[in-house]
Amino acid sequence: MHNDREVIEQRLDRVLNQRLRPAVHARAVPLEVEIWNVPGEPVPVAEGLAAEFGPARVGDHWGPAWSTSWFKVSGTVPAEWAGLPVEAVLDLGFGTTEPGFSTEGLVYRPDGTPVKALNPRNTWLPVSASAEGGEEFVRFIEAAANPVVMHSGPGQLSFGPTPVGGRAAWLGEEHGATPAGEPLYRLRRMDLAVFDATVFELVQDLDVLGQLMRELPTDTPRRWQLLKAVEQALDAIDLQDISGSAAAAREALAPALAAPAVASAHRISAVGHAHIDTAWLWPLRETVRKVARTVSSVTQLMDDHPEFKFVMSQAQQLAWLKEHRPEVYARAQEKARTGQFLPTGSLWVEPDTNITGGEALARQFVHGKRFYLDEFGVETEEMWLPDTFGYNAALPQLMKLAGVKWFLTQKISWNTTNKFPHHTFRWEGIDGTRIFSHFPPVDTYNSDLSGAEVAHSVRNFQDKGATNRSMIPFGYGDGGGGPTREMVARANRLGDLEGSARIAIEKPADFFTQAEADYPDAPVWVGELYLEFHRGTLTSQLAGKQGNRRSEHLLREAELWAATAAARGGFDYPYERLDRIWKTVLLHQFHDILPGTSIAWVHREAEETYAGLARELGEVIADAQRALAGPATGDGQVVFNAAPHARGGVPALGGTVRAATAAAAVTPVADGTDLILDNGLVRVVIDARGLITSAYDLTAGREALAPGTTANLLQLHQDFPNEWDAWDIDAFYRNSVRDLTEAEEVTATADGVRVIRGFGASRISQTLTLREGARRLDIDNVVDWHEKEKLLKVAFPLDVRAAHSTAEIPYGHIERPTHTNTSWDAAKFEICAHRFLHVGERGWGAALVNDSTYGHDVTRDVRADGGTTTTVRLSLLRAPLFPDPDTDQGRHRLRYGFVIGAEVADAVREGYHLNLPERAVPGSAEVAPLVALDSEAVVVEAVKLADDRSGDIVVRLYESHGARATATLTPGFALAGARVTDLLERELPDETAADFRPGPEASVRLTLRPFQILTLRLTPGTPS
């Protein structure tokens, strides 16, 4: 017998794709079609159903970009189909585009109840399991003409500028205008059809066995046995009578499908899932509809397949359903009661975890978990975050404090330099907390359970031998869609099949419980999970990042002053208002909004939202401070300090009557062509080019800058990564640099030194200010930015031999090597820092603090004189063209500060001070802090009233220096009791970090390990 393997495999492909799949719906009759084009934004379902429809037919073009059209399809079941299963096949013009990235539709009955969604991989619609001849069929389709923003070709994606990413692309300048542009889609098929269940099952049999066969080595008997079974099945098929011969073909395959897996077969938990980006290549309003489509489809699939389970991982999306589509939400709750629909993930959205601040991450858990508890009665125990761009090292502790046991992600498999050494492990955070974690070895969170993906999971699994269990999240995603009946059919056939891993559709909790029991000595990974990819997300879309940073700090102030005013009496704490604002901020921390990787529509809308939140939070702060400041007397004013450290005579978290709101700026002194700022602590020399040539620590008698260098040096790089423009900064950007040394103006002013530079099509004005008593030189920048595919950095070359840099992250800081000894070190050529980045030697160092910058890099070089130059740079602006061709264009204001002679403790303090400026309010009352601490190492991150409206005061604090700390918390009110709680303000009875000392002068004694986060619930008593 000759080897004809390739011939049989080619035969299988052609018969399966050209004959068998079409034969599932071979008997068909056309439906009548009518259309109504919505003149503006999407309309409520009732309005779409009641619209005046006009004639349409298959072949018609429809849908300018981002528009909505409603289709009415109707017909009659032929009499000869009586008793047969009937479906509709509805193709809106999908072509071969992946689900969620082009047109989509949701089908409704005439009474407005949803049936299921339509997308390129899901065009069928249930009509009747046993039709009646003459039965009338009427359905409505809400069809979204979402454009294909990111085109894909064979094995590649294109990242060209898109003209359809902005709202104005279809609505023009005024909201509500008629959609513009050429129609994008063409109706392909609108039919009633008989569903041939036997042919469908034969397709699934051949699909699974054919894919499995191709993954087996050619020298194994099982591959050849499958080949023979496939050949026999193909021989049994009469291509002129597929329906009549399908059963015989299935019989030929039955023995091959009945062969059980070997005892050692890898075990895979298949978890139904649809990763729905809360915004990305579509606006937020479209995500609301994507969620409705996906949930409608998966709940319909649950009706047909009781074994099918599906996880939903973002509370915000379910909240949208509850608000906008209560009938779809009711179906989700119904299926949650049967154990099929599984609220998962513990977070409000799947956020970016590099840029999001610590308290905001805590609130992601608070609002996510509380929604699931309130709406579904479920205490979620996993953090489900498959797709974000790196994971900060504070997350394990935050997870534990939220009651989370397990962590799942997938994105680290995108590393471009180093392969992560484990798929199952324990992740240890900066405080020592460990969380059991899993990276699915399938290397995708959008699996379709193909033979190739299942086989890859087995081959790729890094922890073979020690454990034998992994997970696959399956279902079409990013743009939603979810699992299909074909995927469920694959899972069922692969439950116990020779040559394959064993697959079981399971809950995430089932997987994690079994995996943790199987692997009690799982290896430990310590510190951040740095993604060696998508480093540009730390910088793209500065306005959005500024809006987030500003909102986080304004929320801190609003809660602090409102709680203080409420505790002092006569002020209503704005619970509902703050709750709504927090949820809006958390929404915009989604991992394609805050990182700056969405279309223009998303980012311009976010900027508008942040501006509105700033105004609203400003009102809350002003109202509370007016209530606290008391009556004004003459020019008296109360200066409020929301920072966790005292300054200028104003206590931390309190206010005092004071004439001035800030220390005076040092007046520049001319020395030839140089201008000098000297306050007795530091002396800064600025030359005629506006560059810093000396930054001298007068106390230590030490120059901060490396010999022959200049600081505050703006540098412009070409920035054209190989792919993923807004996401990536590739290392080769450093090969091309232009130092911006020419100045149009260098002038002494009352605030310091003003420097103006023009470059390319852009312009920057800098004001360098040194205040009396300060070691921080402030640089205030106004940039009119009009570059394309450029990266703007600012460099500070320091005369410091620093083995590592120290960067603030949520609730602490981490150290990263400045050298590139290993590939892991070298890959961190762009790093994240929040409010500060510090470098130093023992006993002396310097820091850069900022108000809106996250991307940094640190390099080092040994000079000819034997000294080491450590250069710290901030990434200020980018200008990628995809997916938003106008990224960062326009005017920006940002600030950073150079702290000369700083330890890490100084950097912590100065970072807070820069981001939380004092506020002056007319008044005459001293405002004692609601809580006071006697240790600068212990930082108060939040002061608020308890969410249950009990009147308790909640204080969240942490150890900030990375060392064991003790402190005494003294309340500014009568204290009846103090309890340690989790993030959701529920008591942790075994926690011993806080010792409540009652009495007339009650206090709480704290003992904290390095970077420990502590939430205290303080119950006010009756004043004596």
Side-chain angles (χ1 to χ4, degrees):
M1 187 170 93
H2 299 289
N3 183 348
D4 54 358
R5 176 179 59 82
E6 292 183 359
V7 172
I8 296 171
E9 291 173 355
Q10 291 170 1
R11 180 186 177 195
L12 171 62
D13 288 343
R14 185 174 188 197
V15 171
L16 188 59
N17 293 323
Q18 295 186 17
R19 297 301 180 87
L20 297 186
R21 295 188 197 278
V24 173
H25 295 109
R27 299 171 63 184
V29 295
L31 290 163
E32 292 185 10
V33 185
E34 298 174 85
I35 189 173
W36 175 58
N37 297 312
V38 180
E41 284 287 294
V43 298
V45 173
E47 187 174 340
L49 298 176
E52 184 175 340
F53 287 80
R57 60 184 178 183
V58 170
D60 285 357
H61 290 85
W62 68 279
W66 303 117
S67 67
T68 298
S69 294
W70 282 77
F71 294 97
K72 180 180 179 181
V73 292
S74 56
T76 304
V77 176
E80 59 270 25
W81 292 4
L84 297 176
V86 175
E87 296 182 345
V89 182
L90 307 172
D91 188 336
L92 300 171
F94 300 121
T96 58
T97 307
E98 288 297 311
F101 291 89
S102 66
T103 178
E104 303 171 69
L106 182 55
V107 181
Y108 301 88
R109 299 179 183 90
D111 65 1
T113 58
V115 183
K116 65 180 289 289
L118 302 173
N119 65 49
R121 298 291 182 270
N122 211 334
T123 62
W124 66 279
L125 187 73
V127 176
S128 176
S130 179
E132 297 181 9
E135 179 181 345
E136 295 296 321
F137 170 81
V138 179
R139 295 291 185 269
F140 294 83
I141 308 167
E142 181 190 18
N146 300 335
V148 180
V149 174
M150 185 170 62
H151 294 270
S152 60
Q156 63 180 3
L157 297 170
S158 66
F159 301 101
T162 175
V164 295
R167 185 182 179 91
W170 75 284
L171 284 181
E173 294 300 322
E174 295 183 7
H175 295 182
T178 301
E182 294 298 317
L184 300 179
Y185 298 105
R186 179 176 174 269
L187 292 180
R188 293 179 182 271
R189 185 176 181 182
M190 294 278 154
D191 288 346
L192 274 180
V194 173
F195 172 67
D196 194 321
T198 304
V199 174
F200 175 83
E201 297 297 340
L202 174 61
V203 168
Q204 309 319 309
D205 293 344
L206 286 169
D207 175 72
V208 166
L209 292 178
Q211 291 189 35
L212 173 60
M213 176 180 66
R214 286 177 167 87
E215 294 303 318
L216 296 172
T218 56
D219 59 355
T220 57
R222 178 63 168 166
R223 175 154 185 166
W224 292 92
Q225 292 163 6
L226 293 180
L227 186 74
K228 185 64 175 177
V230 167
E231 183 179 35
Q232 290 172 344
L234 294 175
D235 289 342
I237 296 169
D238 181 349
L239 295 181
Q240 279 67 53
D241 183 15
I242 291 174
S243 181
S245 58
R250 292 202 71 202
E251 289 179 9
L253 296 173
L257 286 164
V262 298
S264 62
H266 186 66
R267 295 181 179 274
I268 293 176
S269 296
V271 177
H273 163 69
H275 180 60
I276 305 177
D277 283 316
T278 299
W280 182 27
L281 305 181
W282 46 85
L284 286 168
R285 65 91 151 145
E286 193 56 35
T287 310
V288 176
R289 300 201 294 176
K290 284 177 177 288
V291 173
R293 295 178 197 124
T294 298
V295 173
S296 296
S297 287
V298 298
T299 51
Q300 189 280 326
L301 192 59
M302 291 169 187
D303 289 340
D304 296 340
H305 297 276
E307 76 280 13
F308 170 58
K309 298 176 177 64
F310 176 81
V311 302
M312 194 81 177
S313 61
Q314 301 186 68
Q316 169 69 86
Q317 296 182 358
L318 288 169
W320 276 335
L321 271 190
K322 182 181 179 183
E323 177 184 359
H324 298 285
R325 301 306 309 275
E327 73 283 8
V328 180
Y329 186 66
R331 285 278 283 162
Q333 290 185 307
E334 170 197 338
K335 295 302 183 182
R337 289 189 288 271
T338 68
Q340 292 176 278
F341 189 93
L342 306 171
T344 300
S346 306
L347 299 164
W348 187 248
V349 297
E350 292 180 7
D352 173 274
T353 61
N354 279 324
I355 304 168
T356 300
E359 187 59 25
L361 283 172
R363 304 303 175 94
Q364 288 282 354
F365 285 106
V366 169
H367 287 286
K369 289 198 61 128
R370 190 168 286 149
F371 182 89
Y372 293 139
L373 282 165
D374 292 346
E375 295 293 323
F376 293 89
V378 172
E379 176 86 40
T380 52
E381 295 183 310
E382 64 287 303
M383 179 173 175
W384 184 277
L385 192 59
D387 178 26
T388 198
F389 312 136
Y391 310 84
N392 77 73
L395 282 171
Q397 185 180 186
L398 286 169
M399 283 187 254
K400 183 178 180 180
L401 290 173
V404 168
K405 298 178 180 178
W406 308 303
F407 173 60
L408 177 135
T409 189
Q410 180 274 319
K411 202 69 172 188
I412 294 294
S413 69
W414 287 43
N415 274 5
T416 56
T417 304
N418 300 283
K419 183 178 177 66
F420 196 80
H422 310 292
H423 285 105
T424 302
F425 62 101
R426 295 189 188 277
W427 181 18
E428 181 179 317
I430 53 174
D431 74 311
T433 299
R434 293 180 176 180
I435 293 290
F436 191 78
S437 305
H438 183 67
F439 295 170
V442 68
D443 285 349
T444 179
Y445 46 82
N446 294 326
S447 172
D448 62 1
L449 295 180
S450 68
E453 289 175 344
V454 172
H456 178 73
S457 289
V458 177
R459 289 192 297 265
N460 188 43
F461 189 51
Q462 297 280 86
D463 300 278
K464 295 182 183 74
T467 184
N468 195 33
R469 193 181 299 272
S470 68
M471 183 194 290
I472 292 182
F474 74 96
Y476 292 118
D478 287 334
T484 64
R485 62 183 177 184
E486 290 81 6
M487 296 179 198
V488 175
R490 287 174 184 165
N492 290 337
R493 285 163 174 77
L494 294 173
D496 189 13
L497 183 61
E498 183 184 355
S500 172
R502 284 193 175 96
I503 291 183
I505 297 178
E506 294 182 318
K507 301 176 182 178
D510 293 339
F511 163 76
F512 277 111
T513 299
Q514 295 163 357
E516 193 167 14
D518 288 351
Y519 207 7
D521 57 346
V524 176
W525 180 269
V526 179
E528 70 178 328
L529 294 169
Y530 178 92
L531 178 64
E532 297 172 354
F533 204 41
H534 291 355
R535 301 167 182 89
T537 58
L538 301 175
T539 305
S540 296
Q541 299 287 358
L542 173 62
K545 290 174 170 59
Q546 289 183 321
N548 177 74
R549 175 81 72 90
R550 187 181 186 191
S551 296
E552 290 178 343
H553 288 84
L554 287 172
L555 275 162
R556 171 195 175 93
E557 290 193 78
E559 289 184 334
L560 168 65
W561 303 126
T564 304
R568 302 279 155 79
F571 185 82
D572 290 331
Y573 191 81
Y575 291 100
E576 291 89 355
R577 196 176 193 184
L578 290 172
D579 181 80
R580 173 178 50 78
I581 293 172
W582 261 118
K583 287 174 180 175
T584 303
V585 172
L586 300 181
L587 163 62
H588 287 83
Q589 289 168 344
F590 178 74
H591 65 252
D592 276 310
I593 303 178
L594 184 52
T597 52
S598 292
I599 57 173
W601 187 336
V602 173
H603 293 300
R604 299 301 89 75
E605 193 170 66
E607 291 163 22
E608 294 172 5
T609 298
Y610 283 130
L613 294 180
R615 289 190 295 270
E616 196 169 0
L617 288 167
E619 293 171 2
V620 174
I621 293 166
D623 290 345
Q625 289 182 337
R626 279 195 296 268
L628 289 165
T633 56
D635 296 332
Q637 59 182 358
V638 179
V639 178
F640 287 87
N641 175 23
H645 307 94
R647 58 179 161 185
V650 187
L653 314 179
T656 193
V657 178
R658 197 180 73 186
T661 60
V666 173
T667 302
V669 175
D671 182 9
T673 59
D674 294 337
L675 292 171
I676 299 174
L677 299 171
D678 187 332
N679 65 1
L681 296 175
V682 297
R683 184 177 66 236
V684 178
V685 179
I686 301 159
D687 71 8
R689 301 170 298 171
L691 301 173
I692 300 173
T693 58
S694 175
Y696 197 80
D697 183 342
L698 294 168
T699 304
R702 174 166 179 162
E703 174 62 53
L705 302 189
T709 65
T710 56
N712 195 36
L713 173 64
L714 294 166
Q715 296 181 302
L716 197 63
H717 295 269
Q718 183 170 285
D719 182 20
F720 186 64
N722 287 341
E723 54 184 356
W724 299 105
D725 298 37
W727 291 256
D728 284 355
I729 292 176
D730 286 340
F732 54 74
Y733 84 89
R734 289 177 173 167
N735 299 344
S736 173
V737 61
R738 175 188 169 194
D739 291 345
L740 304 179
T741 58
E742 297 180 4
E744 297 178 4
E745 178 184 330
V746 180
T747 310
T749 71
D751 292 326
V753 178
R754 183 173 64 242
V755 181
I756 298 176
R757 304 185 193 280
F759 55 95
S762 304
R763 188 178 180 85
I764 182 167
S765 174
Q766 296 186 311
T767 301
L768 287 71
T769 302
L770 180 66
R771 298 199 177 276
E772 294 291 351
R775 290 185 169 275
R776 190 183 81 214
L777 175 72
D778 289 332
I779 298 109
D780 192 336
N781 305 268
V782 176
V783 191
D784 191 16
W785 176 253
H786 297 284
E787 304 307 298
K788 297 290 186 181
E789 296 174 336
K790 293 290 191 294
L791 169 62
L792 181 65
K793 283 183 170 269
V794 62
F796 289 80
L798 305 175
D799 190 11
V800 171
R801 183 168 177 80
H804 59 261
S805 64
T806 301
E808 186 186 38
I809 65 169
Y811 294 110
H813 56 258
I814 61 169
E815 296 175 352
R816 300 183 181 99
T818 57
H819 58 69
T820 55
N821 282 359
T822 71
S823 58
W824 295 88
D825 301 327
K828 296 179 181 178
F829 59 81
E830 184 81 0
I831 58 175
C832 182
H834 281 225
R835 286 169 291 226
F836 74 81
L837 184 71
H838 177 272
V839 293
E841 302 167 352
R842 189 179 301 277
W844 194 90
L848 289 170
V849 296
N850 70 83
D851 74 349
S852 53
T853 297
Y854 295 90
H856 297 73
D857 73 275
V858 182
T859 55
R860 63 191 297 278
D861 186 43
V862 175
R863 306 185 299 268
D865 66 3
T868 299
T869 300
T870 301
T871 301
V872 180
R873 298 198 302 166
L874 290 78
S875 300
L876 303 181
L877 285 162
R878 297 187 69 213
L881 300 183
F882 178 83
D884 176 6
D886 294 320
T887 300
D888 282 334
Q889 300 300 296
R891 189 178 184 275
H892 306 275
R893 183 183 179 188
L894 60 111
R895 294 184 301 154
Y896 50 86
F898 179 26
V899 189
I900 303 160
E903 298 294 336
V904 169
D906 301 309
V908 172
R909 182 185 62 253
E910 294 299 329
Y912 275 104
H913 283 176
L914 184 69
N915 282 271
L916 289 163
E918 296 169 327
R919 294 177 183 268
V921 176
S924 57
E926 294 289 325
V927 181
L930 207 52
V931 293
L933 287 162
D934 62 359
S935 169
E936 283 213 344
V938 181
V939 168
V940 173
E941 189 67 3
V943 178
K944 59 188 287 294
L945 294 194
D947 292 338
D948 63 5
R949 307 193 182 197
S950 62
D952 286 355
I953 294 164
V954 173
V955 180
R956 189 143 36 243
L957 47 81
Y958 71 101
E959 195 291 314
S960 66
H961 294 175
R964 189 169 297 274
T966 59
T968 298
L969 182 148
T970 303
F973 54 93
L975 183 62
R979 292 166 288 165
V980 177
T981 74
D982 66 4
L983 297 183
L984 277 72
E985 302 170 11
R986 303 175 297 192
E987 185 173 3
L988 295 173
D990 297 330
E991 179 58 64
T992 60
D995 178 20
F996 171 51
R997 301 181 179 186
E1001 297 182 358
S1003 64
V1004 184
R1005 184 68 175 168
L1006 307 175
T1007 303
L1008 301 180
R1009 65 181 180 271
F1011 301 124
Q1012 183 177 357
I1013 304 166
L1014 199 65
T1015 304
L1016 297 174
R1017 184 170 181 140
L1018 308 178
T1019 300
T1022 303
S1024 57

